[in-house]
Amino acid sequence: MAASTIPRDRARSQWLRAYRVLIGFAFGAAPREATLFLLCGVIMALYGPLTAYGAKLLVDAAIAHDVSGARLAVTLLAATAAVSLLNTLYYLDFLFTVAEKASGAVNRRLLDLMVGIPGLAHHERPEYLKELDLLREQRGALAWLTNATAGMVRVAVGLAASLALLAHLEPVLLLLPLFGLGSFFAGRRARDLQHQAAEETAEPERLRRHLFGLATTAAPGKELRVFDLAEHLIARHHQAAETVIRTRDRADWRSAGWEAVGSALFGLGYVGAIGLVLFRAVSGLLTPGDVVLTIGLAAGLNGVVQIAVGYGTQLLHVLRVAQRYLWLEDYASAACPVLADPAPVPDRLVDGITLQNLSFHYPGTSAPVLTDVSLHLPAGKIVALVGENGAGKTSLVKLLGRFYEPESGRILVDGIDLRRFPIDAWRSRLGTAFQDFSRFEFLVRETVGVGDVSRIEDVALVADALTRAGVADLPLTLPEGIETQLGRSWEGGVELSGGQWQKLALGRALMRQAPLLQVFDEPTAALDAPTEQALFERMAATARQGERAGTVTILVTHRFSTVRMADLIVVLDGGRVVETGNHRQLMAKGGLYAELYELQARSYR
């Protein structure tokens, strides 16, 4: 018994938590508008019962030739209509105001959570990507909980007012709403089917969007045309779309069937209620006005049931989407380590960075990518990581940047465990350039300046970073110089070549002055060999300048000709360190490094 109630209690707790969080977005972003919106919903719920009651008074007064009674009824109906019109305008205004402000609050919170997670697992694990894709696709629903709440308030108020009037006529009519339960549960079942279909089609929907992006964006354009991939991509897109549409259409048809059954059940109750009142009116127990009142209330109850179905299923849908949001919140909270014994990041390195028996595999996989790696990266030196694809070079860089934590072993920075440093404080002392760099479509100054966002307005520092990256002359060729907007998708924006974008990424990596760790992970893949050689010479000079701060400069590259200048070359193979030394020592040793170097050198002859 206990085992079965614990999950139910936990689920109920999660629903309540989701409701509190989402309603908090609305009332936090627009407290006055959200309150008035719910009040307008209460007033709106009384339209139907008041109109039905006014019609009853009017009919009975007309039959009785009661002029004052008719005047009262007309006044009530006119006032209800006037208030209804004015209230509806305010209701809609508050509805969209609250939704817009709540949506902004939701998006800001999602941005905070996504970029605030220290690691990269949520960007790289397929099961996490599915959750995040669905959350991105459905996040708009999170801003509409107040609307669903107002709908349910309207249901409660309208139902209470209608039942009070029906009970006055005939207590048995209180059973009428029970016939609406069928519609409610049918609507809930319909929403469950649609939700299940969305879950089942998440992967093909991602594929459909990916294929559409390939066919409609600029980057793949040349290859699509050279390889004549248009028909192939269109066929795959149609296949993925057919899978999505077929599954969701089937769910829609089944949903419609459930809703039809629910509507038919309420129809039986409606006919029975009208028949009962007519019989009692013919018997002289009720007035013609009571019949009109019952018809109006019964029809109104059908509307209340439809509102309950619509807003109830919307509420459930929003709360289901909120479960993904709560998952992200919990994941982000768990991913942010609590430091039991924090230590300050040193101002400069004296000894360097030491890796002790480091082993690592990516979460969700069993294959190790690094195994028992022990290595010392001396302060003030240039260290080159070389090896074939999959050797573990980039994975090692990710551990140094604390994008992942090692499975075993530790990383020491001047003898202090890296995990004792606050992650943000450690990363503030890093400079990094990756092969898969981002193309920030900002002003040139901003695109480079985000490498040290506190100094993004420092034109001289940005210009210096561009000079060291070998692209000092680029602003001179642009219409607005260093203030030129980049990216064709923006008005007045300029597009750059792949090599120019990569040099801007290098400039970004060089913005921070005297970092403790400078990482260049395949930073010159889009550059030709002479340009790369000249660039590495400048990078080496920059690294020598960083000796005063003890900067460890790590270079990851496949081009062996550019690593000869490194003070230490580390050769990785299958996730293990197999050789270390400088170029001369490793060539004399005649091991894997010498073999790979000679193999690559022959290809250039």
Side-chain angles (χ1 to χ4, degrees), residues 378-439:
K381 301 301 180 182
I382 301 174
V383 180
L385 303 181
V386 300
E388 298 183 279
N389 289 332
K393 305 182 296 296
T394 297
S395 297
L396 184 56
V397 167
K398 288 180 179 179
L399 294 183
L400 289 169
R402 294 199 66 186
F403 298 117
Y404 290 95
E405 298 295 338
E407 179 185 354
S408 61
R410 58 180 184 162
I411 300 172
L412 302 178
V413 179
D414 272 357
I416 302 173
D417 194 318
L418 179 60
R419 287 170 291 197
R420 293 181 59 194
F421 298 148
I423 292 179
D424 289 344
W426 169 246
R427 288 181 180 163
S428 70
R429 301 302 307 278
L430 306 184
T432 57
F434 298 104
Q435 181 179 1
D436 54 345
F437 59 89
S438 296
R439 298 189 177 192

Side-chain angles (χ1 to χ4, degrees), residues 2-53:
S4 63
T5 57
I6 289 175
R8 200 158 45 239
D9 292 342
R10 185 179 297 118
R12 187 182 301 114
S13 174
Q14 283 292 91
W15 288 112
L16 291 175
R17 178 190 169 199
Y19 186 87
R20 287 195 303 270
V21 168
L22 296 190
I23 205 71
F25 281 129
F27 277 89
R32 182 176 66 89
E33 292 88 346
T35 302
L36 292 174
F37 176 57
L38 293 179
L39 180 60
C40 287
V42 172
I43 296 172
M44 184 178 288
L46 297 175
Y47 297 168
L50 286 175
T51 300
Y53 187 69

Side-chain angles (χ1 to χ4, degrees), residues 173-440:
L173 294 177
L174 294 175
L175 298 176
L176 183 59
L178 295 179
F179 288 90
L181 291 177
S183 289
F184 179 79
F185 288 111
R188 180 175 176 179
R189 175 58 179 160
R191 178 66 75 175
D192 286 341
L193 289 170
Q194 292 168 344
H195 177 76
Q196 181 180 351
E199 293 280 344
E200 291 177 358
T201 56
E203 199 69 18
E205 177 63 22
R206 282 177 60 202
L207 177 59
R208 178 167 72 161
R209 291 200 303 268
H210 173 65
L211 293 170
F212 185 83
L214 286 177
T216 57
T217 53
K222 296 186 290 294
E223 291 183 78
L224 294 185
R225 287 157 178 78
V226 170
F227 300 132
D228 194 20
L229 293 177
E231 290 186 8
H232 176 75
L233 282 184
I234 291 172
R236 291 189 64 178
H237 180 271
H238 286 345
Q239 184 179 8
E242 184 180 351
T243 300
V244 173
I245 294 171
R246 184 174 61 250
T247 302
R248 296 186 179 181
D249 275 355
R250 186 166 58 246
D252 288 341
W253 279 107
R254 293 177 64 190
S255 299
W258 277 98
E259 290 173 344
V261 171
S263 297
L265 182 61
F266 183 80
L268 290 175
Y270 181 81
V271 171
I274 301 302
L276 173 63
V277 173
L278 281 174
F279 174 77
R280 291 181 64 79
V282 170
S283 301
L285 299 175
L286 295 175
T287 68
D290 292 332
V291 176
V292 171
L293 175 62
T294 303
I295 292 173
L297 291 176
L301 279 177
N302 185 45
V304 168
V305 169
Q306 294 304 317
I307 292 173
V309 171
Y311 285 107
T313 51
Q314 182 191 28
L315 179 64
L316 293 174
H317 173 66
V318 171
L319 292 178
R320 282 198 183 96
V321 176
Q323 299 306 307
R324 288 194 170 89
Y325 169 81
L326 294 182
W327 166 81
L328 180 60
E329 264 205 347
D330 292 341
Y331 175 78
S333 177
C336 296
V338 178
L339 301 180
D341 184 23
V345 178
D347 293 330
R348 63 185 301 273
L349 292 181
V350 177
D351 180 50
I353 300 173
T354 303
L355 285 60
Q356 293 183 344
N357 307 113
L358 214 62
S359 294
F360 171 70
H361 69 271
Y362 285 100
T365 67
S366 57
V369 292
L370 293 172
T371 303
D372 198 29
V373 172
S374 293
L375 182 64
H376 180 65
L377 311 176
K381 301 301 180 182
I382 301 174
V383 180
L385 303 181
V386 300
E388 298 183 279
N389 289 332
K393 305 182 296 296
T394 297
S395 297
L396 184 56
V397 167
K398 288 180 179 179
L399 294 183
L400 289 169
R402 294 199 66 186
F403 298 117
Y404 290 95
E405 298 295 338
E407 179 185 354
S408 61
R410 58 180 184 162
I411 300 172
L412 302 178
V413 179
D414 272 357
I416 302 173
D417 194 318
L418 179 60
R419 287 170 291 197
R420 293 181 59 194
F421 298 148
I423 292 179
D424 289 344
W426 169 246
R427 288 181 180 163
S428 70
R429 301 302 307 278
L430 306 184
T432 57
F434 298 104
Q435 181 179 1
D436 54 345
F437 59 89
S438 296
R439 298 189 177 192
F440 293 103

Side-chain angles (χ1 to χ4, degrees), residues 574-593:
R576 296 177 181 273
V577 175
V578 294
E579 293 178 332
T580 59
N582 59 34
H583 174 75
R584 181 181 54 78
Q585 291 168 338
L586 293 176
M587 290 301 293
K589 186 177 180 181
L592 179 61
Y593 175 83

Side-chain angles (χ1 to χ4, degrees), residues 37 144-153 311-312 314-315 318:
F37 176 57
W144 290 88
L145 182 71
T146 312
N147 184 45
T149 300
M152 299 311 293
V153 168
Y311 285 107
Q314 182 191 28
L315 179 64
V318 171

Side-chain angles (χ1 to χ4, degrees), residues 559-576:
R559 293 179 180 172
F560 284 76
S561 59
T562 61
V563 304
R564 299 180 59 169
M565 68 187 72
D567 301 299
L568 175 67
I569 300 171
V570 179
V571 184
L572 291 160
D573 185 37
R576 296 177 181 273

